[in-house]
Amino acid sequence: MKKSLTNKLKTVLPIALGVFLVWYSFYSTSPEDRQQILFYIKEADLFWVGISVFIGILSHISRAIRWNYLLQPLGYKPKVSNNVLIILIAYFTNLGIPRSGEILRATALTTYEKVPFEKGFGTIVTERVVDLFMLFTVVITALFLQTDIILNVFQQRGFNPTSLLVLLGIGILGIALFFLFIKKSKFQFAQKIKRFVKGLVEGVLSIFKMKYKWAFIFHTIFIWVAYIGMFWVIKFTVPETIELTLSQLLVAFTAGAFAMSATNGGIGIYPIAVSSSLAVFGISEVSGDAFGWIMWISQTMMVVIFGAISFLVLPLLNRNQ
């Protein structure tokens, strides 16, 4: 009974928190600002919204194809159509319970393609590590292209370049000492972390040993170019953001990406993160919020609609399983 109640709470609490965050992030603005934000959302050019959604779908298809390049060396080659449907279901599930989609994704692959759970889940972990590397690449690119602006923001908030370099140095030193401790320590917990990190590194390096490594790298780059592209075209839906450059939008993109990682689908905090980043470039809070809401709503609706359809279609396409 207690276990059942705990499982229900684990399901309900993230959804309830998400609903609260959406309510708070929208109603924390003044009534006049809310009306203006709603006006921008209602008047958003559906052509550009549709282009953004279309690019998003292409990224999911590319991810499905890329997934097979990790599975092929293990002796499996699932149908790309099944991969696409499973990925959409996983994203849909993540909206309710963070990170549950990865478990469901590996389970569905076992059910419909007979890939052992641990092997399927291992490829998903490898994917996540590669995507984390790509995210950091985008972050570094954004920092490089907008260094002066970002440093000015830090200075306005009491940080100076010397302090930032000291903090960065302390962070790097801390990470180095942590890994040195893990390497030398005989504690069982440290050994588990060591094996886990070693497995992740081996998984990433195995990319360069696979038969279709260049195809894998191409799809990885395409997926992230698509992510940036679906974000970039939304600028044409809000008059004040049309003149923003790609490098400026990269700063907002990275803020939104971290918001997505911190919550289930960026629910509630994604528009705030994007708006705060755009404010650095002189975009008003109303226009920044509108941009963030249009982007979040369009992509969330895409995941909900296509994810729900995938829940129904996947079993129908695999009646024999």
Side-chain angles (χ1 to χ4, degrees), residues 79 98 102-103 112 121 172 178 186 232 252 280 292:
K79 297 175 184 175
E102 280 71 14
I103 304 295
Y112 296 109
F121 189 72
I172 293 172
F178 173 76
K186 301 297 182 183
W232 182 76
V280 173

Side-chain angles (χ1 to χ4, degrees), residues 10-22 90-102 256-271 296 300 303-304:
K10 285 181 179 178
T11 304
V12 172
L13 284 177
I15 298 173
L17 178 61
V19 172
F20 170 75
L21 287 172
V22 170
Y91 278 108
F92 181 40
T93 307
N94 278 338
L95 290 177
I97 307 173
R99 303 280 75 88
S100 63
E102 280 71 14
F258 281 115
M260 284 283 191
S261 302
T263 61
N264 39 335
I267 190 167
I269 67 171
Y270 183 88
W296 183 80
T300 301
V303 170
V304 170

Side-chain angles (χ1 to χ4, degrees), residues 7-274:
N7 289 335
K8 287 181 180 178
L9 286 173
K10 285 181 179 178
T11 304
V12 172
L13 284 177
I15 298 173
L17 178 61
V19 172
F20 170 75
L21 287 172
V22 170
W23 175 85
Y24 176 78
S25 62
F26 188 71
Y27 283 93
S28 60
T29 58
S30 67
E32 294 79 12
D33 286 349
R34 284 202 300 275
Q35 289 298 321
Q36 191 64 34
I37 292 169
L38 284 172
F39 172 78
Y40 281 136
I41 294 173
K42 290 176 182 177
E43 295 299 316
D45 191 333
L46 293 180
F47 171 78
W48 293 112
V49 174
I51 292 294
S52 179
V53 170
F54 177 71
I55 295 172
I57 292 171
L58 289 180
S59 74
H60 294 319
I61 295 172
S62 183
R63 183 176 291 277
I65 296 170
R66 188 185 71 166
W67 195 10
N68 270 358
Y69 295 133
L70 290 173
L71 290 164
Q72 282 175 359
L74 303 176
Y76 304 97
K77 190 177 180 181
K79 297 175 184 175
V80 173
S81 58
N82 277 349
N83 283 0
V84 173
L85 296 173
I86 290 170
I87 287 169
L88 288 169
I89 290 171
Y91 278 108
F92 181 40
T93 307
N94 278 338
L95 290 177
I97 307 173
R99 303 280 75 88
S100 63
E102 280 71 14
I103 304 295
L104 182 62
R105 190 172 155 187
T107 304
L109 194 66
T110 301
T111 302
Y112 296 109
E113 294 290 350
K114 307 306 179 187
V115 178
F117 177 86
E118 63 277 7
K119 291 185 178 181
F121 189 72
T123 61
I124 295 168
V125 172
T126 301
E127 269 195 353
R128 291 305 181 195
V129 173
V130 172
D131 287 334
L132 185 63
F133 171 78
M134 292 300 295
L135 175 59
F136 281 134
T137 301
V138 174
V139 171
I140 292 169
T141 303
L143 289 173
F144 177 76
L145 293 175
Q146 294 293 332
T147 304
D148 293 339
I149 295 290
I150 294 169
L151 285 178
N152 286 336
V153 171
F154 278 117
Q155 286 177 334
Q156 290 171 9
R157 297 183 181 180
F159 292 94
N160 58 57
T162 304
S163 300
L164 292 173
L165 287 173
V166 170
L167 286 173
L168 181 62
I170 292 172
I172 293 172
L173 179 62
I175 293 171
L177 289 174
F178 173 76
F179 279 108
L180 182 63
F181 168 76
I182 294 299
K183 185 178 180 180
K184 300 293 184 182
S185 176
K186 301 297 182 183
F187 290 112
Q188 187 177 1
F189 176 71
Q191 292 302 311
K192 285 183 178 179
I193 295 177
K194 183 179 177 180
R195 286 194 296 270
F196 178 72
V197 172
K198 185 179 178 182
L200 290 182
V201 172
E202 287 178 352
V204 174
L205 292 179
S206 67
I207 293 167
F208 298 97
K209 299 176 183 177
M210 67 173 62
K211 185 178 179 181
Y212 301 103
K213 58 178 176 292
W214 293 115
F216 181 92
I217 293 169
F218 167 78
H219 280 284
T220 298
I221 295 172
F222 176 83
I223 289 166
W224 281 86
V225 168
Y227 285 168
I228 295 169
M230 58 199 275
F231 189 88
W232 182 76
V233 298
I234 292 296
K235 79 172 189 173
F236 297 109
T237 63
V238 180
E240 196 178 344
T241 62
I242 290 175
E243 299 302 322
L244 286 171
T245 64
L246 179 60
S247 62
Q248 291 171 333
L249 285 169
L250 277 180
V251 176
F253 173 83
T254 55
F258 281 115
M260 284 283 191
S261 302
T263 61
N264 39 335
I267 190 167
I269 67 171
Y270 183 88
I272 296 173
V274 170

